[in-house]
Amino acid sequence: MAVLSKIRQRSALMIAVIALGLFAFIIGDLFKSGSFNSTSKDVGSINGNGISFEDFRLKVSNVEKSGEGISSTAAANRVWDQEVSVALLTAEFDKLGLRVGEKHILDVLKADQSIGQNPMFLNGAGVFDLNKFKDYFKANPAQAQFLKDREKDAELNAKFQIYNTMIKAAVYTTKSEGKLQYEMESNKVSFAYVSGLYSTVKDSDVKISDSEIADYIKKNNKKFKADESREIEYVLIEDKPSTEDVAEVKAKITSLLSGSVVYNQSTNKNDTLSGFRSAKNIAEFVNSNSDVAYDSTYIAKKDLPAVDADKLFNLAPGEVYGPYMFGKYYCISKSMGKKNGVNAKASHILISYEGTQVPNQKAKRTKEEAKEKAEEILAQVTANPDSFLMLAYSTSDDSSAQQGGDLGYFGQNQMVKPFNDFVFNNGIGKVGLVETPFGFHIIKITDKQDGIRLATVAQKVEASEATSDKIFTQATKFEMESADKDFTKVAKDMGLKIAAPVTISAMQENFGPLGNQRTIVRWAFEDDSKVGTVKRFEVANVGHVIARVKAIDNSGLVSVTQARPYVESILKNKKKAEIIKAKMSGSSLEAVAKQVGSTVQQATDVTLSNPLLAGVGQEAQVVGTAFTLAANKMSSTIEGNMGVYVVKNTSTVKAPALKEFTPYVAALKAQAAANVNRVLPALKDNADIKDNRKQFNY
């Protein structure tokens, strides 16, 4: 059973061998259930082939049980993506007639170290022994079914590897393509030009209507595909404390500063209680009166509340400050004294060796070799302290190498003991060498921070019961009145603000700035949620959301609201281009420049592979046009990325002719290899995919 346990634990690693990781869903141990209540047969279909609700539910269930803390909606989305991907790819395998034999399947199984490197399956030379592998499962028939399931997974993985290889092999780069790339990189053009930038026309002078954006979306529908959506407008009535609630907490915490007299029923006498200023047992006083427990640690100034940091940090021992607000708390604080060097900042260079706790070592070395190298680096740093940053970047085995070894600030005992002791027992600027379980560290102490210990009584400012009741009444009233009246007018009459509309799709969880509000999203897609439907939702730690379905879009395209930020600038530039082109007349560049209030500029030795105009940006259309012109010829107006241009060719220099373009072909071929990743998106674009998941309640 131990072998099976290891195989189960590591099964996900074998799936990861496949670049796209598409088949992980098949392993039954990976998923958790939702709470589907629908009686529908299929949750969807791919090219007419249905996805069984029961199978889908089980897989979602097991994903939730996987220990990742994933929600049922996120689990359903993951399983759906996997189902679609596997169905589409499997169909391709079948069309191609892909078959795999025992060797292919075995290669995939052995890629999982819990199988390929398992001592139970190795011979005396440490090589995987197929007979031992088979004999084990013959002798353990209870585990043989598990092997059969794993073989099914491995078969799919093996087919994908072959499919992937076939696609890569089919991508061919010709000599002509290499020649074109050479010419794009090497041919150079110089030209004079006048630009009329779009930024010279005010945005306010160019208006774009919703209908214009809608027309653009329709004309470019492939770029704007989307799931059906709902546009929801809403009012948020926060469950927050009133002015009276705030004043009450402030008064209460202020009263703690001084002593008070209370009647003691046991003695029938008045007792005088110490206040915060005079309390002898300050920890007990804080814990008895504060919503936040007493903290005896020293705090650096940078970690104090920003607004009050200076005053708090400069308190004399025993001095009291407050009341002051910190987040949602009213506070009073007393200084319990300061301490030097509570935090330190250091940089290090780590030289690890085989057997240390550092993964991904840059070079395998023995402990002796690591120590020798560390001592060499220490000598270099000692001789030239300014070399530390570059040495860290080039030699350190720690992830901090990218930051020049900088570890930032840390407190006592946050680092392993030898490292901690060196840093906190030496002064700023000290450089030294220490050994830890991670290897040898060349350490440079770069800064230290003093700290103050504060005794703080903090009481949370919350809405009182009376305030929450008023808020509930207001929210309920708004919900009832807006259900059959104008939503905007009711909000205005009640002095409430309507938030910016949120566009959502059926299987998402986030609801605009309110974050994960799956309940609201689910409601928006219910059958009885029509345009104008209103409902109130209580959102924990936020308040009441009164939502209204503003629009329903089943067109399969993104809404105008969603597309506007992207499309509006494109259409505005089109209109600006017409305004600018109308001005760009003249028989010379100087005349054109005068018309648009610009100057004639020069571009020298520009290539098509990098069509950059200094101070403007990439303008391939402009540079390409310049290449087509004869010397001293002037172009007509050109609409570019940043403006409208007129160019005049100064000179074109063609690169020397080459017989071979092998390096350019090789470079293009390497780039083309990544095209394999475009296969699955292309299959999805062309597939008939029906998603019925919104009909299932989970």
Side-chain angles (χ1 to χ4, degrees), residues 560-618:
V560 169
T561 302
Q562 286 179 297
R564 180 173 280 277
Y566 170 72
V567 175
E568 185 174 38
S569 61
I570 295 173
L571 297 182
K572 278 191 172 183
N573 284 348
K574 282 285 184 185
K575 289 188 176 183
K576 289 180 178 182
E578 295 305 317
I579 295 172
I580 295 169
K581 282 196 288 186
K583 299 178 182 178
M584 296 184 95
S585 60
S587 57
S588 66
L589 289 181
E590 289 74 16
V592 174
K594 185 176 181 181
Q595 291 294 325
V596 293
S598 182
T599 58
V600 178
Q601 300 181 66
Q602 302 292 328
T604 305
D605 292 341
V606 186
T607 65
L608 278 174
S609 64
N610 184 27
L612 182 67
L613 299 185
V616 177
Q618 296 280 338

Short mmCIF file of all heavy atoms in Angstrom, two decimals, residues 560-618:
data_model
loop_
_atom_site.label_atom_id
_atom_site.label_comp_id
_atom_site.label_asym_id
_atom_site.label_seq_id
_atom_site.Cartn_x
_atom_site.Cartn_y
_atom_site.Cartn_z
N VAL A 560 -21.36 47.35 -25.01
CA VAL A 560 -20.80 48.66 -25.38
C VAL A 560 -20.03 49.24 -24.19
O VAL A 560 -18.95 49.81 -24.36
CB VAL A 560 -21.92 49.62 -25.83
CG1 VAL A 560 -21.40 51.05 -25.95
CG2 VAL A 560 -22.51 49.16 -27.16
N THR A 561 -20.58 49.07 -23.00
CA THR A 561 -19.92 49.61 -21.79
C THR A 561 -18.54 49.01 -21.61
O THR A 561 -17.57 49.71 -21.31
CB THR A 561 -20.78 49.32 -20.55
OG1 THR A 561 -22.07 49.91 -20.72
CG2 THR A 561 -20.12 49.90 -19.30
N GLN A 562 -18.44 47.69 -21.79
CA GLN A 562 -17.15 47.02 -21.63
C GLN A 562 -16.18 47.40 -22.75
O GLN A 562 -14.98 47.54 -22.52
CB GLN A 562 -17.34 45.50 -21.63
CG GLN A 562 -17.94 44.94 -20.36
CD GLN A 562 -18.12 43.45 -20.46
OE1 GLN A 562 -18.87 42.96 -21.29
NE2 GLN A 562 -17.42 42.70 -19.62
N ALA A 563 -16.69 47.54 -23.96
CA ALA A 563 -15.82 47.79 -25.11
C ALA A 563 -15.38 49.24 -25.21
O ALA A 563 -14.34 49.54 -25.82
CB ALA A 563 -16.54 47.39 -26.40
N ARG A 564 -16.14 50.16 -24.64
CA ARG A 564 -15.86 51.59 -24.82
C ARG A 564 -14.41 51.98 -24.48
O ARG A 564 -13.77 52.69 -25.27
CB ARG A 564 -16.85 52.44 -24.02
CG ARG A 564 -16.61 53.94 -24.18
CD ARG A 564 -17.70 54.77 -23.52
NE ARG A 564 -18.90 54.86 -24.34
CZ ARG A 564 -19.07 55.73 -25.32
NH1 ARG A 564 -18.08 56.56 -25.67
NH2 ARG A 564 -20.19 55.76 -26.01
N PRO A 565 -13.85 51.58 -23.33
CA PRO A 565 -12.48 52.01 -23.03
C PRO A 565 -11.47 51.68 -24.12
O PRO A 565 -10.51 52.41 -24.33
CB PRO A 565 -12.15 51.24 -21.73
CG PRO A 565 -13.48 51.00 -21.10
CD PRO A 565 -14.41 50.75 -22.25
N TYR A 566 -11.70 50.56 -24.83
CA TYR A 566 -10.78 50.16 -25.90
C TYR A 566 -11.17 50.77 -27.24
O TYR A 566 -10.33 51.33 -27.95
CB TYR A 566 -10.77 48.63 -26.00
CG TYR A 566 -10.06 48.10 -27.23
CD1 TYR A 566 -8.67 48.15 -27.33
CD2 TYR A 566 -10.77 47.55 -28.29
CE1 TYR A 566 -8.02 47.67 -28.45
CE2 TYR A 566 -10.13 47.07 -29.42
CZ TYR A 566 -8.75 47.13 -29.50
OH TYR A 566 -8.11 46.65 -30.62
N VAL A 567 -12.45 50.68 -27.58
CA VAL A 567 -12.91 51.09 -28.91
C VAL A 567 -12.95 52.61 -29.05
O VAL A 567 -12.65 53.15 -30.11
CB VAL A 567 -14.30 50.49 -29.21
CG1 VAL A 567 -14.84 51.00 -30.53
CG2 VAL A 567 -14.22 48.97 -29.22
N GLU A 568 -13.30 53.30 -27.99
CA GLU A 568 -13.49 54.75 -28.08
C GLU A 568 -12.23 55.45 -28.58
O GLU A 568 -12.30 56.34 -29.44
CB GLU A 568 -13.89 55.31 -26.71
CG GLU A 568 -14.23 56.80 -26.75
CD GLU A 568 -14.76 57.31 -25.43
OE1 GLU A 568 -14.25 56.87 -24.38
OE2 GLU A 568 -15.68 58.13 -25.44
N SER A 569 -11.07 55.05 -28.08
CA SER A 569 -9.83 55.70 -28.51
C SER A 569 -9.55 55.44 -29.99
O SER A 569 -9.05 56.31 -30.71
CB SER A 569 -8.65 55.21 -27.66
OG SER A 569 -8.47 53.81 -27.81
N ILE A 570 -9.89 54.24 -30.47
CA ILE A 570 -9.69 53.92 -31.88
C ILE A 570 -10.57 54.81 -32.76
O ILE A 570 -10.10 55.40 -33.75
CB ILE A 570 -10.02 52.43 -32.15
CG1 ILE A 570 -9.03 51.54 -31.40
CG2 ILE A 570 -9.99 52.13 -33.65
CD1 ILE A 570 -9.37 50.07 -31.47
N LEU A 571 -11.85 54.90 -32.41
CA LEU A 571 -12.78 55.70 -33.20
C LEU A 571 -12.48 57.19 -33.09
O LEU A 571 -12.63 57.94 -34.08
CB LEU A 571 -14.21 55.42 -32.76
CG LEU A 571 -14.69 53.97 -32.98
CD1 LEU A 571 -16.15 53.83 -32.55
CD2 LEU A 571 -14.53 53.56 -34.43
N LYS A 572 -12.04 57.62 -31.92
CA LYS A 572 -11.67 59.03 -31.77
C LYS A 572 -10.49 59.36 -32.67
O LYS A 572 -10.45 60.42 -33.31
CB LYS A 572 -11.34 59.35 -30.31
CG LYS A 572 -12.56 59.62 -29.45
CD LYS A 572 -12.18 60.18 -28.10
CE LYS A 572 -13.42 60.63 -27.32
NZ LYS A 572 -13.08 61.25 -26.04
N ASN A 573 -9.52 58.47 -32.70
CA ASN A 573 -8.35 58.72 -33.55
C ASN A 573 -8.72 58.75 -35.03
O ASN A 573 -8.14 59.50 -35.82
CB ASN A 573 -7.28 57.66 -33.30
CG ASN A 573 -6.53 57.88 -32.00
OD1 ASN A 573 -6.66 58.95 -31.38
ND2 ASN A 573 -5.78 56.89 -31.56
N LYS A 574 -9.71 57.94 -35.41
CA LYS A 574 -10.20 57.97 -36.79
C LYS A 574 -10.77 59.35 -37.13
O LYS A 574 -10.49 59.93 -38.18
CB LYS A 574 -11.27 56.90 -36.98
CG LYS A 574 -10.74 55.49 -37.13
CD LYS A 574 -10.12 55.28 -38.51
CE LYS A 574 -9.68 53.84 -38.71
NZ LYS A 574 -8.98 53.67 -40.01
N LYS A 575 -11.58 59.87 -36.22
CA LYS A 575 -12.18 61.19 -36.45
C LYS A 575 -11.13 62.29 -36.39
O LYS A 575 -11.16 63.25 -37.16
CB LYS A 575 -13.29 61.45 -35.42
CG LYS A 575 -14.53 60.59 -35.63
CD LYS A 575 -15.67 61.01 -34.72
CE LYS A 575 -16.93 60.20 -35.01
NZ LYS A 575 -18.08 60.64 -34.17
N LYS A 576 -10.19 62.16 -35.47
CA LYS A 576 -9.11 63.14 -35.38
C LYS A 576 -8.27 63.13 -36.65
O LYS A 576 -7.80 64.18 -37.11
CB LYS A 576 -8.23 62.85 -34.16
CG LYS A 576 -8.90 63.14 -32.82
CD LYS A 576 -7.96 62.83 -31.66
CE LYS A 576 -8.59 63.16 -30.32
NZ LYS A 576 -7.67 62.91 -29.19
N ALA A 577 -8.06 61.92 -37.19
CA ALA A 577 -7.27 61.80 -38.42
C ALA A 577 -7.91 62.60 -39.55
O ALA A 577 -7.21 63.27 -40.33
CB ALA A 577 -7.13 60.34 -38.82
N GLU A 578 -9.23 62.56 -39.66
CA GLU A 578 -9.92 63.30 -40.72
C GLU A 578 -9.74 64.81 -40.53
O GLU A 578 -9.55 65.56 -41.48
CB GLU A 578 -11.40 62.94 -40.74
CG GLU A 578 -11.68 61.48 -41.11
CD GLU A 578 -11.05 61.09 -42.43
OE1 GLU A 578 -11.13 61.89 -43.40
OE2 GLU A 578 -10.45 60.00 -42.51
N ILE A 579 -9.81 65.25 -39.27
CA ILE A 579 -9.62 66.68 -38.97
C ILE A 579 -8.21 67.12 -39.34
O ILE A 579 -7.99 68.18 -39.96
CB ILE A 579 -9.89 66.96 -37.47
CG1 ILE A 579 -11.37 66.69 -37.15
CG2 ILE A 579 -9.50 68.38 -37.10
CD1 ILE A 579 -11.69 66.74 -35.67
N ILE A 580 -7.23 66.27 -38.97
CA ILE A 580 -5.83 66.62 -39.23
C ILE A 580 -5.52 66.56 -40.73
O ILE A 580 -4.84 67.44 -41.28
CB ILE A 580 -4.90 65.68 -38.44
CG1 ILE A 580 -5.08 65.90 -36.94
CG2 ILE A 580 -3.44 65.91 -38.83
CD1 ILE A 580 -4.42 64.85 -36.07
N LYS A 581 -6.02 65.52 -41.42
CA LYS A 581 -5.75 65.38 -42.85
C LYS A 581 -6.29 66.56 -43.65
O LYS A 581 -5.70 66.97 -44.66
CB LYS A 581 -6.36 64.07 -43.37
CG LYS A 581 -5.54 62.85 -43.01
CD LYS A 581 -5.92 61.61 -43.83
CE LYS A 581 -7.25 61.06 -43.43
NZ LYS A 581 -7.55 59.78 -44.12
N ALA A 582 -7.40 67.11 -43.20
CA ALA A 582 -7.99 68.25 -43.91
C ALA A 582 -7.05 69.46 -43.90
O ALA A 582 -7.11 70.32 -44.78
CB ALA A 582 -9.33 68.62 -43.27
N LYS A 583 -6.16 69.50 -42.90
CA LYS A 583 -5.21 70.62 -42.80
C LYS A 583 -3.90 70.34 -43.53
O LYS A 583 -3.16 71.28 -43.84
CB LYS A 583 -4.89 70.90 -41.32
CG LYS A 583 -6.08 71.31 -40.48
CD LYS A 583 -5.63 71.50 -39.03
CE LYS A 583 -6.78 71.86 -38.10
NZ LYS A 583 -6.32 72.00 -36.70
N MET A 584 -3.60 69.09 -43.76
CA MET A 584 -2.27 68.73 -44.27
C MET A 584 -2.19 68.84 -45.79
O MET A 584 -2.11 67.84 -46.51
CB MET A 584 -1.88 67.31 -43.80
CG MET A 584 -1.75 67.19 -42.29
SD MET A 584 -1.17 65.57 -41.74
CE MET A 584 0.60 65.84 -41.60
N SER A 585 -2.21 70.06 -46.26
CA SER A 585 -2.09 70.31 -47.70
C SER A 585 -0.84 71.13 -47.96
O SER A 585 -0.37 71.86 -47.11
CB SER A 585 -3.33 71.04 -48.20
OG SER A 585 -3.47 72.29 -47.54
N GLY A 586 -0.30 70.99 -49.17
CA GLY A 586 0.90 71.73 -49.55
C GLY A 586 1.77 70.91 -50.46
O GLY A 586 1.74 69.67 -50.43
N SER A 587 2.58 71.60 -51.24
CA SER A 587 3.44 70.91 -52.21
C SER A 587 4.79 70.56 -51.62
O SER A 587 5.61 69.91 -52.27
CB SER A 587 3.63 71.80 -53.45
OG SER A 587 4.20 73.05 -53.07
N SER A 588 5.07 71.01 -50.40
CA SER A 588 6.33 70.68 -49.74
C SER A 588 6.06 70.36 -48.28
O SER A 588 5.01 70.72 -47.73
CB SER A 588 7.31 71.86 -49.83
OG SER A 588 6.82 72.95 -49.06
N LEU A 589 7.03 69.68 -47.66
CA LEU A 589 6.86 69.36 -46.24
C LEU A 589 6.78 70.62 -45.40
O LEU A 589 6.04 70.68 -44.40
CB LEU A 589 8.03 68.48 -45.76
CG LEU A 589 8.07 67.03 -46.26
CD1 LEU A 589 9.27 66.31 -45.66
CD2 LEU A 589 6.79 66.29 -45.92
N GLU A 590 7.54 71.63 -45.78
CA GLU A 590 7.52 72.89 -45.03
C GLU A 590 6.13 73.51 -45.07
O GLU A 590 5.64 74.02 -44.04
CB GLU A 590 8.55 73.86 -45.60
CG GLU A 590 10.01 73.48 -45.33
CD GLU A 590 10.50 72.32 -46.19
OE1 GLU A 590 9.82 71.99 -47.20
OE2 GLU A 590 11.52 71.72 -45.83
N ALA A 591 5.48 73.44 -46.23
CA ALA A 591 4.13 74.01 -46.36
C ALA A 591 3.13 73.21 -45.54
O ALA A 591 2.24 73.78 -44.88
CB ALA A 591 3.72 74.01 -47.83
N VAL A 592 3.28 71.88 -45.54
CA VAL A 592 2.38 71.02 -44.75
C VAL A 592 2.58 71.30 -43.27
O VAL A 592 1.61 71.41 -42.51
CB VAL A 592 2.65 69.54 -45.06
CG1 VAL A 592 1.83 68.64 -44.13
CG2 VAL A 592 2.33 69.22 -46.51
N ALA A 593 3.84 71.44 -42.85
CA ALA A 593 4.15 71.70 -41.45
C ALA A 593 3.52 73.01 -40.98
O ALA A 593 2.99 73.11 -39.87
CB ALA A 593 5.67 71.73 -41.23
N LYS A 594 3.56 74.00 -41.84
CA LYS A 594 2.97 75.31 -41.50
C LYS A 594 1.47 75.19 -41.29
O LYS A 594 0.91 75.81 -40.38
CB LYS A 594 3.29 76.32 -42.61
CG LYS A 594 2.84 77.73 -42.30
CD LYS A 594 3.27 78.70 -43.40
CE LYS A 594 2.82 80.12 -43.08
NZ LYS A 594 3.21 81.08 -44.16
N GLN A 595 0.82 74.36 -42.08
CA GLN A 595 -0.63 74.20 -41.99
C GLN A 595 -1.06 73.58 -40.65
O GLN A 595 -2.11 73.91 -40.11
CB GLN A 595 -1.15 73.33 -43.15
CG GLN A 595 -1.05 73.98 -44.52
CD GLN A 595 -1.98 75.18 -44.65
OE1 GLN A 595 -3.07 75.20 -44.10
NE2 GLN A 595 -1.52 76.20 -45.36
N VAL A 596 -0.24 72.66 -40.15
CA VAL A 596 -0.63 71.96 -38.91
C VAL A 596 0.13 72.48 -37.69
O VAL A 596 0.01 71.92 -36.60
CB VAL A 596 -0.40 70.44 -39.05
CG1 VAL A 596 -1.35 69.85 -40.06
CG2 VAL A 596 1.04 70.11 -39.38
N GLY A 597 0.90 73.56 -37.89
CA GLY A 597 1.63 74.13 -36.75
C GLY A 597 2.70 73.21 -36.22
O GLY A 597 2.93 73.14 -35.01
N SER A 598 3.37 72.49 -37.13
CA SER A 598 4.39 71.54 -36.73
C SER A 598 5.71 71.91 -37.39
O SER A 598 5.84 73.00 -37.98
CB SER A 598 3.95 70.12 -37.14
OG SER A 598 4.90 69.17 -36.72
N THR A 599 6.68 71.03 -37.31
CA THR A 599 7.99 71.25 -37.94
C THR A 599 8.38 70.01 -38.73
O THR A 599 7.86 68.91 -38.49
CB THR A 599 9.09 71.53 -36.89
OG1 THR A 599 9.16 70.42 -35.99
CG2 THR A 599 8.79 72.81 -36.12
N VAL A 600 9.31 70.20 -39.66
CA VAL A 600 9.82 69.06 -40.43
C VAL A 600 10.87 68.34 -39.58
O VAL A 600 11.80 68.97 -39.07
CB VAL A 600 10.45 69.52 -41.76
CG1 VAL A 600 11.03 68.31 -42.51
CG2 VAL A 600 9.42 70.25 -42.62
N GLN A 601 10.70 67.04 -39.41
CA GLN A 601 11.63 66.25 -38.61
C GLN A 601 12.33 65.21 -39.49
O GLN A 601 11.89 64.91 -40.59
CB GLN A 601 10.89 65.56 -37.46
CG GLN A 601 10.21 66.57 -36.52
CD GLN A 601 9.50 65.88 -35.39
OE1 GLN A 601 10.14 65.26 -34.54
NE2 GLN A 601 8.18 65.98 -35.37
N GLN A 602 13.42 64.66 -38.94
CA GLN A 602 14.24 63.72 -39.71
C GLN A 602 14.27 62.35 -39.03
O GLN A 602 14.35 62.25 -37.80
CB GLN A 602 15.68 64.23 -39.85
CG GLN A 602 15.80 65.59 -40.51
CD GLN A 602 15.41 65.56 -41.99
OE1 GLN A 602 15.60 64.57 -42.68
NE2 GLN A 602 14.84 66.68 -42.45
N ALA A 603 14.18 61.31 -39.82
CA ALA A 603 14.35 59.93 -39.34
C ALA A 603 15.49 59.32 -40.13
O ALA A 603 15.48 59.36 -41.36
CB ALA A 603 13.07 59.13 -39.53
N THR A 604 16.47 58.75 -39.43
CA THR A 604 17.67 58.26 -40.10
C THR A 604 17.87 56.76 -39.86
O THR A 604 17.79 56.29 -38.72
CB THR A 604 18.92 59.02 -39.58
OG1 THR A 604 18.71 60.42 -39.75
CG2 THR A 604 20.16 58.59 -40.33
N ASP A 605 18.13 56.05 -40.96
CA ASP A 605 18.46 54.62 -40.92
C ASP A 605 17.45 53.80 -40.11
O ASP A 605 17.80 53.05 -39.19
CB ASP A 605 19.87 54.41 -40.35
CG ASP A 605 20.94 54.94 -41.29
OD1 ASP A 605 20.65 55.12 -42.49
OD2 ASP A 605 22.08 55.18 -40.83
N VAL A 606 16.20 53.94 -40.46
CA VAL A 606 15.15 53.19 -39.77
C VAL A 606 14.90 51.88 -40.53
O VAL A 606 14.94 51.85 -41.76
CB VAL A 606 13.84 54.01 -39.69
CG1 VAL A 606 12.80 53.28 -38.85
CG2 VAL A 606 14.12 55.39 -39.10
N THR A 607 14.62 50.81 -39.79
CA THR A 607 14.35 49.50 -40.41
C THR A 607 12.90 49.10 -40.19
O THR A 607 12.24 49.57 -39.26
CB THR A 607 15.26 48.41 -39.82
OG1 THR A 607 14.92 48.23 -38.44
CG2 THR A 607 16.72 48.78 -39.94
N LEU A 608 12.44 48.18 -40.99
CA LEU A 608 11.07 47.67 -40.83
C LEU A 608 10.94 46.79 -39.60
O LEU A 608 9.85 46.66 -39.03
CB LEU A 608 10.66 46.87 -42.08
CG LEU A 608 10.15 47.70 -43.26
CD1 LEU A 608 9.93 46.80 -44.48
CD2 LEU A 608 8.86 48.43 -42.90
N SER A 609 12.04 46.17 -39.19
CA SER A 609 11.96 45.31 -38.00
C SER A 609 11.85 46.14 -36.72
O SER A 609 11.40 45.64 -35.70
CB SER A 609 13.19 44.40 -37.92
OG SER A 609 14.37 45.17 -37.74
N ASN A 610 12.28 47.39 -36.79
CA ASN A 610 12.15 48.29 -35.63
C ASN A 610 11.75 49.68 -36.13
O ASN A 610 12.56 50.61 -36.15
CB ASN A 610 13.47 48.35 -34.86
CG ASN A 610 13.34 49.19 -33.59
OD1 ASN A 610 12.26 49.31 -33.02
ND2 ASN A 610 14.45 49.77 -33.14
N PRO A 611 10.49 49.84 -36.54
CA PRO A 611 10.04 51.09 -37.17
C PRO A 611 9.76 52.19 -36.13
O PRO A 611 8.64 52.69 -36.01
CB PRO A 611 8.76 50.65 -37.88
CG PRO A 611 8.21 49.57 -37.02
CD PRO A 611 9.40 48.84 -36.47
N LEU A 612 10.79 52.57 -35.41
CA LEU A 612 10.63 53.51 -34.30
C LEU A 612 10.96 54.93 -34.74
O LEU A 612 12.03 55.19 -35.29
CB LEU A 612 11.55 53.10 -33.15
CG LEU A 612 11.48 53.95 -31.89
CD1 LEU A 612 10.13 53.79 -31.19
CD2 LEU A 612 12.61 53.56 -30.93
N LEU A 613 10.03 55.85 -34.49
CA LEU A 613 10.28 57.28 -34.70
C LEU A 613 10.57 57.91 -33.35
O LEU A 613 9.75 57.81 -32.43
CB LEU A 613 9.07 57.95 -35.36
CG LEU A 613 8.65 57.44 -36.74
CD1 LEU A 613 7.53 58.30 -37.29
CD2 LEU A 613 9.84 57.43 -37.70
N ALA A 614 11.73 58.53 -33.21
CA ALA A 614 12.15 59.09 -31.93
C ALA A 614 11.11 60.08 -31.41
O ALA A 614 10.65 60.96 -32.13
CB ALA A 614 13.50 59.78 -32.09
N GLY A 615 10.77 59.90 -30.14
CA GLY A 615 9.82 60.81 -29.50
C GLY A 615 8.38 60.57 -29.85
O GLY A 615 7.48 61.25 -29.36
N VAL A 616 8.13 59.59 -30.74
CA VAL A 616 6.75 59.30 -31.16
C VAL A 616 6.36 57.88 -30.80
O VAL A 616 5.40 57.64 -30.07
CB VAL A 616 6.58 59.52 -32.68
CG1 VAL A 616 5.16 59.16 -33.10
CG2 VAL A 616 6.88 60.97 -33.04
N GLY A 617 7.11 56.90 -31.30
CA GLY A 617 6.80 55.50 -31.04
C GLY A 617 6.87 54.66 -32.29
O GLY A 617 7.39 55.10 -33.33
N GLN A 618 6.36 53.45 -32.23
CA GLN A 618 6.39 52.53 -33.35
C GLN A 618 5.38 52.97 -34.41
O GLN A 618 4.20 53.13 -34.13
CB GLN A 618 6.02 51.11 -32.88
CG GLN A 618 7.02 50.50 -31.90
CD GLN A 618 8.25 49.94 -32.58
OE1 GLN A 618 8.23 49.63 -33.76
NE2 GLN A 618 9.34 49.81 -31.82
#
